[in-house]
Structures are given as structure tokens and as C-alpha cells.
Amino acid sequence: MLKIDNKIYLSWDDVNDLVDILCEKIITEQPNIDSVFGLKRGGLIPAVMVSHKLGLPWSDVMLPNTLVIDDICDTGVTLKNTVGVYTAVLHHKPHTSCYKPNIYAQIHKGDEFIYYPWERKDAEPIQDYLKK
């Protein structure tokens, strides 16, 4: 992890560690999960990683025991508007979020923008849907 100004840049190793934490929590806290679904765009890669690590099938639809995965729960709007029963994220920001995911790898108490390795480094530190 690299922190510059008000931004945190994660490496693939950082993400792998966070996914390992998620997988352990899925096994112990939500053993009835039988498939995964990744929210576009940020949740796709972590969902595929969880799918491979736990041997869970990928689902194109949110079934009753499908785990809906995103990278971060910042405002909580994206996850609040999903129809999934079970949700998981790499980072949860409880101080800014209107939604609490069922599982999260790490709580982030700061206001820094977190850049995941699949994002462009010159991306604006605000989500597309928040610009409207």
C-alpha cells in the first residue's frame, strides 16, 4: 500500500491479502453462500478471485445464496440498491456509508480515495455516479 496526498494505492498483493480475509470470513460467517456475483466495475475482479479461491461458481444473476461482491462500500448507495441478500466488500467506510455489507475485509476510517490496481492512476477520486 502506498499513500500519497489523500490517495491510497493498493498493489495486487494487497488485494490478494484482502480477498484471503474475505474468503476466511465467508467460510466461517456465511457457509450457505453457493455462488458469487461481481458488481460492475469494481466488484468483478474480487468476485472472480473469491470464486477461484473458494471453488464457488460465478453467477450472472443474484440467486438467494449468491454473494454480491464490490470493491468498496464508500457511500453505500451501490450495495443498498442491489437485490442481493448477501454482500461483501474489500473496504467498508462506516463513517460515510448508508449501508453495512454482511462481510468486509477491512474497515477504512479515513477519507482517502482508494485506488485498486485495476483502476487508472489518473482517474478522478470520485465515482462516476456521484458526478451527476
Side-chain angles (χ1 to χ4, degrees), residues 5-77:
D5 298 322
N6 202 35
K7 301 171 186 169
I8 295 174
Y9 297 89
L10 299 179
S11 69
W12 284 107
D13 287 337
D14 295 328
V15 170
N16 193 57
D17 292 344
L18 292 167
V19 168
D20 284 345
I21 293 168
L22 268 189
C23 288
E24 183 61 34
K25 288 184 175 185
I26 293 165
I27 291 168
T28 58
E29 297 174 18
Q30 300 293 339
N32 54 331
I33 298 298
D34 59 14
S35 60
V36 296
F37 175 93
L39 292 175
K40 297 174 187 170
R41 297 177 294 190
L44 291 173
I45 292 172
V48 169
M49 293 173 74
V50 167
S51 173
H52 286 296
K53 286 182 183 239
L54 294 181
L56 293 170
W58 176 268
S59 179
D60 289 331
V61 294
M62 294 178 217
L63 302 169
N65 289 331
T66 299
L67 181 64
V68 178
I69 300 177
D70 205 358
D71 53 359
I72 190 167
C73 184
D74 193 344
T75 65
V77 173

Side-chain angles (χ1 to χ4, degrees), residues 95-114:
H95 64 291
T96 60
S97 180
C98 65
Y99 179 86
K100 182 179 179 185
N102 300 98
I103 303 170
Y104 44 89
Q106 196 172 72
I107 287 180
H108 184 74
K109 295 181 180 181
D111 291 320
E112 300 89 356
F113 187 82
I114 299 174

